[in-house]
Each structure stands twice: as C-alpha cells, then as structure tokens.
Amino acid sequence: MRNQIGVIGTTAFVLAAIACGGGGSDKPAVDAPGADAYESDCGVPGDLGNELGIGKFCASLGDCSTTAEAPLCSSLGDANTHFCTKTCQSAGPTTQCGTGAECTCNASNQCGCTPSVCLTP
C-alpha cells in the first residue's frame, strides 16, 4: 500500500511539474532591456560621432580616449547623456564643434559641443 501511495504521489508531482513547465501561453514574450541598455537623453550605443568625434557614444571617460578632438564624456556633467564632447567658446567659430554639432552653454557659461540632434525638441 505504501508503494502505491508513493507512486501516486510521485506521479502527481511529475504531472504537476509538466503542466507548469512553461509553454502554452498565447501572450508574446516581452523583451527585457539588454545589459548594455542606457537611459539616455542623448547618445546611444553605436553612435559614431562626427569628424571630430563629437557625438560618439560613451559610457565613461575612457570611451572617448580614441577621439583626440573630443576627449570628454558628457555623462561627467549630465548622467543622462552619453556622448563624447569637448569644451568650446560661445563666441567661437561655428566650425569648432564639427559637422552636426553646436556649442551650447549652461547658466554658468560653461560651454561644450553638443550633437544638433540632441537639441531638437
């Protein structure tokens, strides 16, 4: 009798495991963000930047080490942005930031090159 109860219990456990074993849902799977996903107001993985390197994606300062003209990562000043940049002069030449980038300044007159696409609403 004990063997029958043990077999019935084991069979019930196996059937429950099979029934709950994942499958049979009509709902599509939701993709979770990847490990390299960034919350960013400007700059995403894969951005190459312009001829000076302004706009190249960076997660840290070291990522801008290959862009001699744009050695700073914008996340140093704004944790919600991820692009290589450099300082600029508000009254400097329009070409100082390269193609598709502009010199923008904060309230303290600290200026840096910003990709133009980041400035559009």
Side-chain angles (χ1 to χ4, degrees):
M1 185 73 159
R2 280 189 187 175
N3 278 346
Q4 286 180 336
I5 293 173
V7 170
I8 291 171
T10 302
T11 303
F13 176 77
V14 170
L15 289 175
I18 292 170
C20 297
S25 175
D26 291 337
K27 294 181 181 178
V30 177
D31 289 335
D36 61 349
Y38 285 87
E39 184 71 29
S40 180
D41 294 334
C42 183
V44 295
D47 286 350
L48 301 176
N50 64 16
E51 71 278 7
L52 301 178
I54 308 294
K56 176 186 173 195
F57 174 78
C58 60
S60 67
L61 183 60
D63 294 335
C64 298
S65 64
T66 60
T67 56
E69 296 280 340
L72 305 172
C73 185
S74 64
S75 63
L76 291 172
D78 182 349
N80 292 325
T81 62
H82 297 277
F83 60 89
C84 296
T85 187
K86 68 174 187 170
T87 59
C88 55
Q89 301 297 315
S90 60
T94 56
T95 58
Q96 67 184 323
C97 294
T99 306
E102 301 173 32
C103 184
T104 58
C105 305
N106 64 17
S108 300
N109 205 31
Q110 296 169 324
C111 305
C113 294
T114 303
S116 300
V117 297
C118 300
L119 302 173
T120 56

